[in-house]
Amino acid sequence: MSFKENLKSELSYQGVLVKELATKTGISRRTLDNYLREKSSLPPVDAAVKIANALNVSVEYLVTGKEKSDFVSDNHFKILDPTYSKLSPKKKRIVDETLQTLIKSLADADL
């Protein structure tokens, strides 16, 4: 998928409106609308970084639809819930540890 399609998908997934993204990034709504149009061009790198940071995704994800972290390793998770990004580091660590415990328990369980 293209930047435009990935951006549209992420906005939809997170329930973020273009005007909200404009406020978060400091990029005008008109400019963001241009990135979402049929014959859009890629934004400059600095704008792509602002958009990715505001959505808590990587620029790589917006450009390619994939991330290096899409491949889950033993102690790393990709959590897409926008609420997760609002948690304190301590609470994120609790969520991560809970998920690790759950995954280990399921792997060991006879279901």
Side-chain angles (χ1 to χ4, degrees), residues 36-97:
L36 295 166
R37 287 208 174 101
E38 282 302 312
K39 296 184 180 186
S40 65
S41 60
L42 287 173
V45 173
D46 61 326
V49 169
K50 288 178 183 178
I51 293 167
N53 286 339
L55 295 173
N56 199 35
V57 297
S58 70
V59 173
E60 180 179 7
Y61 173 76
L62 289 176
V63 173
T64 67
K66 297 178 182 176
E67 290 192 55
K68 291 176 187 172
S69 65
D70 280 346
F71 303 100
V72 178
S73 64
D74 288 345
N75 297 316
H76 297 90
F77 306 98
K78 180 178 180 187
I79 300 176
L80 297 174
D81 188 315
T83 307
Y84 179 82
S85 65
K86 297 175 185 175
L87 296 175
S88 69
K90 183 177 179 179
K91 289 181 179 179
K92 285 181 182 177
R93 192 171 46 254
I94 291 169
V95 170
D96 293 344
E97 290 170 359

